[in-house]
Amino acid sequence: MASTPPRRNSGALSPRVSSFNINADSKQKDLSSSVNRDDDIVELRKNAGANNDNSAWAAALPVVSYCGASIMMTVVNKFVVSGAHFSMNFLLLAMQSIVCILCVVVSKRFGLISFRDFDVEDAKRWFPISFLLVCVIYTGSKSLQFLSIPVYTIFKNLTIILIAYGEVLWFGGAVTNLTLCSFVLM
């Protein structure tokens, strides 16, 4: 009986792989970062278990904050981009990005959040996805310029649903009951 040669990772994306591992060093780095993530999750569960009486309010606060910020940004962006002969979408997006980056960096300095330091190799690997995200944000601002807010919101929410089912089709993901419930609420 002929033995099959061992499979080599050709660098192709796998739906079960959580990062792009190129060599043994990055595998070790990914392993240590996943351990740190596991520690963070355990710590969050400990904190959530210690505060059961306020856990409903603690869980609702980020959701309400996100909804409020999303609505406010959509209305403000609609007001700004609907001006007479407005053509500075990139300037608007650059200013918003700079403000967001400054808020994240200041939050890290005050110890409110934590994230890895900038790595050139990670930036090279993530550049195509980041570029596509910039394109999505730009086309979203252009569509907001010419569509009403309700129509824009419908398209935005349909895009989220299409992405979720695209993940199911192409990457073997799953849409859970909770995800379906959130789609209905959208």
Side-chain angles (χ1 to χ4, degrees), residues 80-103:
V80 171
V81 299
S82 294
H85 307 293
F86 182 81
S87 62
M88 297 183 286
N89 289 58
F90 277 121
L91 178 63
L92 173 67
L93 295 175
M95 288 174 20
Q96 289 176 347
S97 297
I98 290 169
V99 168
C100 288
I101 290 169
L102 288 175
C103 288

Side-chain angles (χ1 to χ4, degrees), residues 154-166:
I154 289 169
F155 281 124
K156 184 174 73 168
N157 291 343
L158 284 176
T159 303
I160 294 169
I161 295 170
L162 289 174
I163 289 170
Y165 281 105

